[in-house]
Amino acid sequence: MFACQSGAARGENSGDPAFAYTCRLAGKQASANDPVFARINAIRKNRGAAPLFYDRDLARAAQTHAVGIARAGRLDHRDGPSERLRKNGLVRRYVAENLARFEHIAAPRDYVVRYWTAGEPEFSNLISRRYLRVGFGLKATASHCYAVLILTE
């Protein structure tokens, strides 16, 4: 599970790196029990779509991309998600990727799911019946959190 902690949550200066969030992954990547998946699957159920299944390889790819975009300091579908998966030996017919960048908040998982449900094409990706497997990654810098969701058939 991810843990996010910050001095900003206590009302301290979030611009000071000493009080910056550290979104870190205990054990290196999200698990099938990550609350992001439960929230997304509840939304899918309400829309009549089958639940998404956690995919460890997709989670690893999502985490790797989250680290890359955090290092670059900007959102980027560089090389495209299909190409990045293919480079890692994962060939999928249908691939979608949702990205998010946001300032540190106390509940990043809640925020990122709300963010993805409020916008297009992110929301369409979440509820599409085309996708059955999912992986999630989250990485923080001193000022922002970066989230990546990869969906495939």
Side-chain angles (χ1 to χ4, degrees), residues 43-145:
I43 293 164
R44 288 176 64 86
K45 182 178 180 180
N46 288 339
R47 293 295 183 130
L52 295 169
F53 294 97
Y54 167 80
D55 184 303
R56 181 177 311 207
D57 293 328
L58 294 179
R60 192 174 300 117
Q63 184 63 31
T64 298
H65 193 49
V67 169
I69 60 176
R71 189 176 298 126
R74 61 184 165 78
L75 297 181
D76 188 358
H77 292 284
R78 66 182 152 82
D79 300 330
S82 294
E83 183 59 27
R84 278 187 273 107
L85 291 178
R86 195 173 2 268
K87 286 179 182 177
N88 289 298
L90 303 171
V91 179
R92 300 294 199 271
R93 184 173 174 193
Y94 302 111
V95 180
E97 179 176 73
N98 287 359
L99 304 178
R101 174 182 182 254
F102 48 94
E103 293 181 359
H104 294 294
I105 55 174
R109 284 173 176 70
D110 291 335
Y111 176 82
V112 77
V113 172
R114 283 193 315 270
Y115 175 81
W116 285 331
T117 58
E120 287 296 337
E122 293 87 357
F123 182 66
S124 293
N125 290 342
L126 292 181
I127 62 169
S128 174
R129 294 174 185 193
R130 172 181 283 180
Y131 305 118
L132 300 173
R133 305 187 77 69
V134 65
F136 174 71
L138 184 68
K139 178 65 178 163
T141 64
S143 61
H144 292 87
C145 279

Side-chain angles (χ1 to χ4, degrees), residues 20-33:
Y21 272 82
T22 55
C23 295
R24 64 187 184 282
L25 190 60
K28 301 278 187 208
Q29 70 182 56
S31 74
N33 298 322

